[in-house]
Amino acid sequence: MKILQMADLHAREKDYDEIKKCCAEILRVTEQEKPDLIINAGDTFDHHMIRLDSEIARYVFDFHRRLSHIAPVAVVIGT
């Protein structure tokens, strides 16, 4: 079984462009490697008080949706 594990995106609005670059690379590698399972091991957002309708939150949710088209995704909430 091939597992892709990631953690510590610490997504926040002020780093939106950098987060997009990092997520694009993760997607590229994931599409290339075709894992059987993807695990986000936590610290997805930089702060526990994230607005769910913020641009960064919507982007991160879409990123996980795109990953889920490759393999099942498990996300750990918090650390």
Side-chain angles (χ1 to χ4, degrees), residues 33-64:
E33 293 295 325
K34 306 261 188 270
D36 300 303
L37 176 65
I38 301 166
I39 299 171
N40 177 339
D43 285 347
T44 303
F45 295 101
D46 191 54
H47 193 272
H48 72 281
M49 297 296 290
I50 185 78
R51 281 188 28 239
L52 296 179
D53 65 340
S54 67
E55 187 174 9
I56 194 70
R58 287 193 312 269
Y59 180 81
V60 169
F61 297 148
D62 183 62
F63 166 66
H64 283 84

Side-chain angles (χ1 to χ4, degrees), residues 9-56:
L9 286 174
H10 292 280
R12 57 186 173 186
E13 293 292 335
K14 74 177 193 170
D15 296 330
Y16 184 74
D17 291 335
E18 188 67 25
I19 293 298
K20 284 176 66 173
K21 289 177 191 175
C22 292
C23 290
E25 180 64 12
I26 292 168
L27 278 167
R28 186 192 69 74
V29 170
T30 304
E31 289 169 345
Q32 178 182 332
E33 293 295 325
K34 306 261 188 270
D36 300 303
L37 176 65
I38 301 166
I39 299 171
N40 177 339
D43 285 347
T44 303
F45 295 101
D46 191 54
H47 193 272
H48 72 281
M49 297 296 290
I50 185 78
R51 281 188 28 239
L52 296 179
D53 65 340
S54 67
E55 187 174 9
I56 194 70

Side-chain angles (χ1 to χ4, degrees), residues 1-6 30 34-40 67 70-75:
M1 174 179 262
K2 189 184 284 190
I3 299 172
L4 181 138
Q5 180 180 343
M6 62 180 170
T30 304
K34 306 261 188 270
D36 300 303
L37 176 65
I38 301 166
I39 299 171
N40 177 339
L67 288 172
I70 301 166
V73 177
V75 178

